[in-house]
Amino acid sequence: MLPSDQPGEARAHGPILSEPGSLLEHVAVAVFGMDGEGRVCYWGPGAQGLFGHAAAEILTRPAALLFPPAGSDDGDLHSGPAARLAERGRALGYWRVRLPVLHRDGSVFDCGFRVFPVTGTAGGSVVMGLASRSDELDRVKANLAFLDALFETCPIGLVMLDEDLRYVHVNQALADMDGIPAPDHLGRAATEIMITSDGGEFARMLRAVADGGTPLVDTLVGLRTPGHPDRDQVRSFSLFPLSRAVGTRSGVGGLVVDVTDRERALLEATAARRRLDLLDRAAARIGTTLDVDTTARELVDVAVPEFCDGSVVELVEWMDPTEAFDPRLPLFTRRIAARATLSRPAVEQLEGLEHVKYPPGSSIHRMFATGRPICVPVDEDFTTRTIAHAERARVILDSGLVSILIAPLVARGTVQGIAMFGRSADRPAFTEQDLSLAGELASRAALCLDNARLYSQVQDIALTLQRALLPDALQPGPHLTVAHRYLPGSRVTEVGGDWYDVIGLPGDRVALVVGDVMGHGVPAAASMGRLRITAEALARHGPEPHDLLTELDLCARESGIELATCLYVAYDPHTGDARISGAGHPPLLVRHPDGTVETIADAMGVPLGVGGVPFRTMRTHLPDGAVLALYTDGLIEARGRDIDTGLAALRTELGRAEGSLEEMADRILTAMLPAAPTDDTVLVLARIHGATLPPEG
């Protein structure tokens, strides 16, 4: 049992108070105990404040002294209020009642009692009582009822956040503003529900209040919520720090009012900032490559879901790029990108459709007639005029889209295609500002698409030129077996200046040559062709390799070729001798019949186009069955790997390669090149056969 104050104590303690900071903060609670004889056996620290008796005056005396006399039997320990409290407490286990009490000074007032039995130290039954003034309890109840009614019916948003700025309580008005049920707020961060684009200023404001800062009154904040993702709102916040109650943590309380209509200017500024943010992201994310399909996908990825619920990009398939648009004719397009957050059938149709036909009078024709973005409702009239296929029209009608914004893709006076953006009923209708934003997005994308288109044309020209200049098939002769590979790099470096050739010379001799012109595209392909043709013409006259490279160097300088490398090998099958000369090119590798690999680097000179430095020829004897490896630097140089490391790796792969030359070439390329090489690569493997031996079949 709780210890009791004993007679003779110097003074009684003050009243027991509820947790500071709460509504019960100033309600005194008296705690006392009655033994089986109806006498006071415990007098708590709050009892003196309520009844006026010191512990020394009341302990061991009848509890009936705490209540006013009302009859001849009121002093009887077995009747009256004290006896009823003890009897009901023991019988019911817990009883509450309101009774008048008698203060030591003779005044009478009402109190609320709670009584319950406990076991005494000697095994006897003791009834403990808790008492508080009725008027104070009534005041607290009224306050609590008022707060309950306030949270239930107040049209102003009310919020309570803990010290981590997570929701503890919200009323229905705020839940309706957010578009999220009140229970779904609890435990979530405030900035997860109230999303701003102010660089974290709102979060810093909440934190300052929570840390005990000055309360804020009528502070305006522009925001969106996940429940209304496309509705810009302006809210007035009045925030105050919550007091730290015993055993609890501080936080923030506040009143929230939606003042969107009143603060339309701030809302428009917020929307404008979002549009600028979207354009900034578009500028950074659209046109990262010179690939038409990738650029189109980047556009729809920027638009969905930030700007719309669905988007497609289509290129117009003009019969003649110079022809004028004729609104009387059908329009044919090729869909190259699509993305949507709609129903599955709608998404499948948008992403699965490749070729589209728009009949005369369609919304697309209307848009091209004006040359400006237009917005059209998705209804029966739209589908009848624009979508020729009935089943597709029905899917669009059932998709949830209510409006479509159509913008032309025009760059450098050329119509590339169209971009379409669709919104469902969950979003606000497109505005004039949205039409301007869509037009800006389309213009930026169109310029990137046109750059990609022009680049593709240049690449096609360069590729055609390169294919025309490289040998279709090599004619090595009876004393040489050759396997050759040319692998272009990535899309950006598809056409380069790498080249190779095998040239038959008088007397069964044969020349192998490989080179690399710095750069890519048409200039590199043209320079490569000029050097290859010159080398072939010079080789047939039988000059020494260093004289041939001297002439190629002169040709390079006269042609404006700033830098090119070359390796020239002339082999005589009758003697087994080879004459070798190089111009800044990776060295020749020779795989001997026993599997050892030799690097021949003594004849390496400066690159072509430098001039002023003589070339020299090296002679060496090559055994029958040896394999020569000529290659360009794309095979041995890659990001994260220098040439020396790559050359060592190539020597290892050449030494371990087995089988036919074709098999050896494939294995070496697989081992040496990454999945997406960034530079062109040439590999020529040649197995030599002496003239005294029969040629290999």
Side-chain angles (χ1 to χ4, degrees):
M1 192 180 85
L2 294 172
S4 62
D5 290 339
Q6 300 298 324
E9 288 183 338
R11 63 179 179 85
H13 297 289
I16 297 178
L17 299 181
S18 63
E19 295 179 351
S22 71
L23 291 173
L24 301 175
E25 184 174 18
H26 301 292
V27 178
V29 179
V31 182
F32 63 96
M34 298 179 291
D35 61 17
E37 300 299 324
R39 299 181 182 278
V40 177
C41 62
Y42 177 81
W43 196 248
Q48 179 174 350
L50 184 63
F51 294 101
H53 298 283
E57 299 172 347
I58 196 65
L59 284 171
T60 72
R61 301 191 68 186
L65 296 175
L66 304 177
F67 301 93
S72 60
D73 59 347
D74 287 326
D76 188 348
L77 298 180
H78 301 290
S79 63
R84 288 197 299 274
L85 285 176
E87 184 272 327
R88 290 301 182 101
R90 290 189 176 92
L92 300 178
Y94 176 81
W95 189 48
R96 63 181 183 177
V97 69
R98 286 197 177 195
L99 294 171
V101 299
L102 178 64
H103 193 271
R104 185 176 183 276
D105 63 7
S107 60
V108 177
F109 54 90
D110 281 344
C111 277
F113 286 88
R114 304 291 188 273
V115 291
F116 50 90
V118 296
T119 301
T121 55
S125 175
V126 174
V127 173
M128 296 300 299
L130 306 177
S132 296
R133 292 183 64 100
S134 295
D135 54 357
E136 293 181 356
L137 291 175
D138 290 342
R139 174 177 56 83
V140 170
K141 287 182 178 180
N143 288 338
L144 292 175
F146 171 76
L147 289 178
D148 287 342
L150 181 66
F151 267 92
E152 289 293 332
T153 63
C154 181
I156 297 175
L158 301 175
V159 63
M160 183 184 298
L161 307 173
D162 64 17
E163 67 178 8
D164 294 325
L165 303 179
R166 297 183 178 275
Y167 288 95
V168 175
H169 191 57
V170 297
N171 68 339
Q172 190 58 44
L174 184 56
D176 292 341
M177 282 187 217
D178 293 339
I180 299 173
D184 292 347
H185 286 71
L186 304 183
R188 299 173 68 178
T191 52
E192 184 181 345
I193 301 294
M194 296 180 284
I195 304 170
T196 64
S197 57
D198 57 5
E201 182 61 29
F202 178 63
R204 289 190 288 272
M205 179 180 72
L206 291 176
R207 172 49 54 199
V209 176
D211 291 342
T214 304
L216 299 178
V217 179
D218 196 21
T219 300
L220 300 182
V221 177
L223 55 83
R224 286 186 181 182
T225 70
H228 301 299
D230 303 302
R231 184 185 304 169
D232 289 311
Q233 300 181 39
V234 179
R235 295 183 181 179
S236 169
F237 285 85
S238 295
L239 304 172
F240 50 89
L242 298 176
S243 60
R244 184 183 297 271
V246 176
T248 65
R249 302 189 301 178
S250 61
V252 174
L255 292 80
V256 185
V257 181
D258 187 344
V259 294
T260 302
D261 293 337
R262 190 189 79 188
E263 302 294 335
R264 181 60 58 182
L266 178 59
L267 178 61
E268 292 177 354
T270 301
R273 185 164 58 246
R274 291 187 184 277
R275 288 194 291 270
L276 289 175
D277 289 344
L278 181 60
L279 287 176
D280 287 342
R281 289 194 297 274
R285 294 172 55 184
I286 298 176
T288 59
T289 69
L290 289 172
D291 180 79
V292 173
D293 293 344
T294 300
T295 300
R297 286 194 298 272
E298 290 169 343
L299 172 57
V300 299
D301 286 343
V302 165
V304 179
E306 176 71 17
F307 181 65
C308 60
D309 298 300
S311 178
V312 298
V313 175
E314 299 173 4
L315 299 183
V316 177
E317 295 184 332
W318 302 108
M319 297 297 292
D320 180 355
T322 62
E323 70 177 313
F325 168 67
D326 189 342
R328 298 168 300 176
L329 298 177
L331 193 67
F332 297 90
T333 66
R334 180 169 61 91
R335 185 167 295 173
I336 59 174
R339 184 181 178 188
T341 57
L342 303 169
S343 62
R344 179 175 294 276
V347 172
E348 290 175 351
Q349 176 179 309
L350 292 178
E351 296 181 349
L353 193 61
E354 182 175 358
H355 296 283
V356 187
K357 174 185 176 182
Y358 295 106
S362 73
S363 300
I364 311 302
H365 286 71
R366 285 177 48 205
M367 183 270 298
F368 276 130
T370 64
R372 298 178 58 82
I374 64 171
C375 183
V376 296
V378 178
D379 52 20
E380 293 283 355
D381 181 67
F382 166 76
T383 55
T384 301
R385 292 176 177 271
T386 304
I387 304 176
H389 196 284
E391 183 179 346
R392 293 172 183 165
R394 177 50 53 190
V395 172
I396 292 298
L397 287 173
D398 296 339
S399 67
L401 292 177
V402 296
S403 60
I404 292 180
L405 197 160
I406 310 169
L409 298 172
V410 181
R412 301 184 179 97
T414 301
V415 177
Q416 306 289 324
I418 57 176
M420 289 188 279
F421 311 92
R423 283 185 178 177
S424 66
D426 294 333
R427 293 179 184 258
F430 287 113
T431 64
E432 287 296 326
Q433 291 79 10
D434 290 329
L435 263 69
S436 298
L437 175 59
E440 182 67 23
L441 288 174
S443 295
R444 296 191 181 196
L447 185 61
C448 295
L449 287 171
D450 197 48
N451 289 338
R453 179 184 63 84
L454 295 175
Y455 174 77
S456 296
Q457 291 179 351
V458 173
Q459 289 297 90
D460 290 342
I461 294 172
L463 184 59
T464 301
L465 177 62
Q466 183 190 53
R467 288 172 177 170
L469 295 175
L470 286 175
D472 293 330
L474 301 179
Q475 303 295 330
H479 304 291
L480 205 66
T481 304
V482 176
H484 56 97
R485 299 286 188 275
Y486 174 82
L487 274 71
S490 66
R491 175 72 178 173
V492 176
T493 59
E494 183 176 9
V495 179
D498 292 19
W499 57 282
Y500 59 97
D501 206 349
V502 177
I503 307 167
L505 304 178
D508 293 331
R509 292 177 299 119
V510 64
L512 297 95
V513 60
V514 63
D516 185 1
V517 177
M518 180 182 67
H520 295 91
V522 173
S527 298
M528 173 270 290
R530 184 178 291 112
L531 292 179
R532 176 179 173 268
I533 293 171
T534 302
E536 182 178 13
L538 291 172
R540 297 188 186 282
H541 295 283
E544 286 295 322
H546 65 274
D547 293 329
L548 183 142
L549 292 185
T550 300
E551 292 296 327
L552 284 183
D553 177 61
L554 180 61
C555 174
R557 284 182 283 150
E558 291 177 347
S559 303
I561 301 173
E562 296 182 357
L563 186 64
T565 65
C566 183
L567 176 63
Y568 183 87
V569 180
Y571 170 66
D572 187 343
H574 294 283
T575 63
D577 291 337
R579 292 171 295 155
I580 306 165
S581 186
H585 201 82
L588 173 71
L589 297 183
V590 179
R591 184 183 189 272
H592 291 266
D594 62 0
T596 60
V597 177
E598 178 185 2
T599 302
I600 300 179
D602 293 343
M604 296 300 102
V606 299
L608 304 176
V610 175
V613 180
F615 300 97
R616 69 189 194 88
T617 298
M618 172 193 175
R619 296 177 181 269
T620 187
H621 181 77
L622 301 177
D624 289 334
V627 176
L628 311 184
L630 296 85
Y631 50 93
T632 55
D633 59 1
L635 184 63
I636 60 174
E637 186 177 22
R639 181 175 298 177
R641 182 182 69 187
D642 60 29
I643 289 183
D644 291 337
T645 302
L647 182 59
L650 178 58
R651 286 172 52 91
T652 300
E653 295 300 330
L654 181 63
R656 66 168 57 137
E658 299 292 344
S660 67
L661 291 183
E662 298 292 338
E663 294 172 335
M664 292 173 64
D666 289 338
R667 290 172 182 169
I668 290 173
L669 291 177
T670 299
M672 293 294 297
L673 294 181
T678 57
D679 197 7
D680 299 349
T681 298
V682 164
L683 174 63
V684 177
L685 297 180
R687 180 175 280 122
I688 61 175
H689 315 287
T692 58
L693 298 176
E696 181 178 73

